[in-house]
Amino acid sequence: MKNITVIIFVIFSWQSFSQNSTAKEDSIMLKKIYNTALLNGKSYQWLDYLSNQIGARLSGSINAQKAVEWGETELKELGLDKVWLQSVMVPKWTRGVTEFAYIETSPGTTTNVPICALGGSVPTPIGGIKNPIVEVQGIEDLRKLGTSEIEGKIVFFNRPMQADLINTFEAYGGCVDQRYSGAAEAAKFGAVGVIVRSMNLRLDDFPHTGTMSYGDLTDLEKIPAAAISTNGADLLSSMLKLNPKIKFHMNMNCRTWKDVESFNVIGEITGSEFPNEYMIVGGHLDSWDLGDGSHDDGAGVVQSMEVLRLFKEVGYKPKRSIRVVLFMNEENGLRGGKKYAKVAKSKKENHVFALESDAGGFTPRGFSFDCNDTNFKQVLSWKSLFEPYLIHYFVKGGSGADIGPLKNEKIVLAGLRPDSQRYFDYHHAKNDTFDAINKRELELGAATMTSLVYLFDTYGVK
């Protein structure tokens, strides 16, 4: 009996020693990753070029093609095992001449307000439209008012983001339907145009664009749709309360063209032990056309590229094949993400893990995961490794739009979750520019992503 007790003690002691030794090795590797990112990072330098030398990168534009060429060149210079372009047809929409709008309180008495066309909108007739306006708090209000109150008017959707929600993406999700579907729904009641309060928690003069859909409306039924800045929305609402008979003028010259060819940019480090198991990190290379897309999603692009560069810098050789994917057309079609998943399925590629960064370049807090309970339990066992870097947020939930099409019963999907409080100050607006990026925060995000990829590569998907 005594001998059995000794054997059991030795076994447990060895297991404890082995676990502690492994945890120490992981801790050393994470420290090396963070040190390299902060002392010898390249993400900020890359983003400087992408934002300031190329600029806005809306799908189908010349700048989008320049970004593809830049991404391919930079990945090749990293010395990856493979770099290639994946063709994808994308929509092409152009804004045209800068939009113009004013509020008319009486003939000849006007107040200019900032607007921008929503992505995919039809233009106004030449010279614009000037019509009475009706304010609603959401799509459901359209049914309450009915055709008699809406026909011939411009509908003003003025539901704000819910400011008491700490997760600002939840606040965004609570009102973005009026931007996406507002025009399609208002047109059914005879509206001639739509103005939508910008998806922004801050009061400022920047209108925020974003994609919208006409659903199954015919070309003749489509009406122009624009976003108005939050200050403009508050002003318009106040003036409507004082005088419900005011009119709103809007002039837009946007246009939709035939689809054009573009590309996803892909680079790979081939796995040393399991080359047919694929792990991907990515962000979307396209951006809206008002700013230069530094937060959305230039940050995610360069952080994803940095993951593979950091592995090479610290001398880590992945067991599994790790790809960086710079997706095209997330903003107004998701064509790149869908194409990547379609090709992966046709080739029967075994994707086991995918991580996306598409929530800005702010201070990283953690990750959200779309996975089974076993894999999430494994993630929680790594929390102590991240604590020295103030990474604490690990939840089950969404991952990322571009990696979503890869979803199946086995794959682990994850999304980097930076602090979200300032994200919607810049999202889809003219002020989403490089000067809004903090170098250290961007580098911390890249190191945090690299650390998670390292751990999943080391221990595998359960």
Side-chain angles (χ1 to χ4, degrees), residues 363-417:
T363 303
R365 300 299 189 199
F367 303 91
S368 60
F369 296 88
D370 187 354
C371 64
N372 60 35
D373 291 339
T374 302
N375 280 299
F376 188 61
K377 185 177 180 180
Q378 177 175 232
V379 167
L380 294 180
S381 73
W382 299 330
K383 288 186 71 172
S384 62
L385 293 169
F386 285 99
E387 285 174 0
Y389 311 101
L390 306 182
I391 304 300
H392 62 276
Y393 184 76
F394 299 88
V395 297
K396 292 189 73 171
S399 54
D402 283 304
I403 62 176
L406 288 169
K407 182 177 174 62
N408 57 39
E409 294 180 355
K410 295 181 179 180
I411 192 172
V412 173
L413 302 177
L416 179 68
R417 293 293 167 248

Side-chain angles (χ1 to χ4, degrees), residues 80-386:
L80 304 181
D81 296 315
K82 299 176 185 177
V83 176
W84 70 99
L85 301 182
Q86 186 177 72
S87 175
V88 56
M89 298 300 293
V90 300
K92 181 179 175 67
W93 177 86
T94 54
R95 186 172 301 279
V97 179
T98 302
E99 303 87 343
F100 178 71
Y102 61 75
I103 304 166
E104 183 182 83
T105 51
S106 62
T109 305
T110 62
T111 303
N112 293 353
V113 288
I115 69 165
C116 67
L118 295 179
S121 175
V122 296
T124 59
I126 296 175
I129 57 174
K130 184 172 70 175
N131 292 73
I133 192 160
V134 56
E135 180 178 348
V136 298
Q137 290 298 301
I139 291 173
E140 59 279 0
D141 285 354
L142 298 175
R143 300 178 184 88
K144 297 176 184 177
L145 291 174
T147 303
S148 61
E149 295 292 323
I150 294 176
E151 190 171 20
K153 295 180 180 179
I154 296 171
V155 172
F156 168 38
F157 289 97
N158 193 32
R159 183 166 79 250
M161 291 176 66
Q162 191 174 334
D164 60 348
L165 294 175
I166 302 303
N167 182 345
T168 61
F169 282 87
E170 185 179 351
Y172 175 75
C175 61
V176 73
D177 64 329
Q178 60 191 352
R179 188 196 76 197
Y180 186 75
S181 304
E185 295 301 320
K188 296 175 183 177
F189 294 90
V192 296
V194 159
I195 292 291
V196 182
R197 182 187 184 93
S198 287
M199 306 292 110
N200 180 11
L201 284 158
R202 185 172 69 175
L203 292 174
D204 62 27
D205 294 317
F206 296 106
H208 293 231
T209 191
T211 193
M212 50 87 68
S213 170
Y214 287 109
D216 57 1
L217 295 183
T218 66
D219 288 343
L220 292 176
E221 295 171 320
K222 295 175 181 178
I223 59 176
I228 185 171
S229 71
T230 48
N231 277 339
D234 283 355
L235 176 64
L236 178 57
S237 182
S238 298
M239 295 177 75
L240 271 170
K241 289 179 174 63
L242 292 172
N243 179 9
K245 294 184 179 180
I246 64 174
K247 292 184 178 180
F248 193 86
H249 168 83
M250 56 193 291
N251 188 16
M252 308 194 312
N253 298 276
C254 42
R255 180 175 175 182
T256 298
W257 308 77
K258 291 182 179 180
D259 288 359
V260 299
E261 184 183 34
S262 191
F263 303 89
N264 292 328
V265 185
I266 307 170
E268 177 184 304
I269 298 175
T270 304
S272 58
E273 294 183 29
F274 311 105
N276 294 323
E277 290 186 13
Y278 295 96
M279 305 174 66
I280 72 169
V281 289
H284 62 85
L285 196 52
D286 62 306
S287 75
W288 283 108
D289 58 320
L290 297 177
D292 60 42
S294 287
H295 275 296
D296 187 20
D297 185 30
V301 164
V302 298
Q303 286 173 332
S304 299
M305 294 166 64
E306 182 76 336
V307 171
L308 274 68
R309 193 192 73 87
L310 287 174
F311 280 150
K312 294 182 76 66
E313 283 290 314
V314 302
Y316 178 70
K317 297 181 180 180
K319 297 178 181 179
R320 294 160 180 82
S321 293
I322 299 180
R323 289 177 179 171
V324 56
V325 185
L326 313 183
F327 294 99
M328 182 55 67
N329 184 232
E330 186 273 346
E331 292 293 5
N332 59 336
L334 206 64
R335 302 276 184 88
K338 292 176 179 177
K339 179 62 178 287
Y340 181 85
K342 181 179 179 181
V343 172
K345 185 177 180 180
S346 68
K347 292 184 175 181
K348 297 181 179 179
E349 292 178 340
N350 181 22
H351 282 70
V352 297
F353 175 82
L355 169 61
E356 185 164 353
S357 172
D358 186 17
F362 301 101
T363 303
R365 300 299 189 199
F367 303 91
S368 60
F369 296 88
D370 187 354
C371 64
N372 60 35
D373 291 339
T374 302
N375 280 299
F376 188 61
K377 185 177 180 180
Q378 177 175 232
V379 167
L380 294 180
S381 73
W382 299 330
K383 288 186 71 172
S384 62
L385 293 169
F386 285 99

Side-chain angles (χ1 to χ4, degrees), residues 9-139:
F9 174 77
V10 170
I11 291 173
F12 275 101
S13 296
W14 172 252
Q15 287 178 336
S16 177
F17 171 79
S18 179
Q19 290 171 353
N20 290 336
S21 178
T22 301
K24 186 176 181 180
E25 290 175 7
D26 292 336
S27 179
I28 292 172
M29 176 57 77
L30 263 63
K31 180 65 173 173
K32 189 182 296 186
I33 288 169
Y34 275 91
N35 285 353
T36 305
L38 294 171
L39 296 173
N40 186 31
K42 198 171 181 180
S43 56
Y44 192 72
Q45 176 185 333
W46 273 330
L47 186 56
D48 185 1
Y49 189 92
L50 182 62
S51 299
N52 292 322
Q53 300 303 314
I54 296 178
R57 307 169 296 278
L58 190 58
S59 293
S61 68
I62 293 174
N63 277 4
Q65 181 57 32
K66 288 181 179 179
V68 167
E69 294 168 0
W70 166 84
E72 181 184 23
T73 298
E74 292 298 327
L75 292 182
K76 285 182 177 178
E77 288 187 0
L78 289 183
L80 304 181
D81 296 315
K82 299 176 185 177
V83 176
W84 70 99
L85 301 182
Q86 186 177 72
S87 175
V88 56
M89 298 300 293
V90 300
K92 181 179 175 67
W93 177 86
T94 54
R95 186 172 301 279
V97 179
T98 302
E99 303 87 343
F100 178 71
Y102 61 75
I103 304 166
E104 183 182 83
T105 51
S106 62
T109 305
T110 62
T111 303
N112 293 353
V113 288
I115 69 165
C116 67
L118 295 179
S121 175
V122 296
T124 59
I126 296 175
I129 57 174
K130 184 172 70 175
N131 292 73
I133 192 160
V134 56
E135 180 178 348
V136 298
Q137 290 298 301
I139 291 173

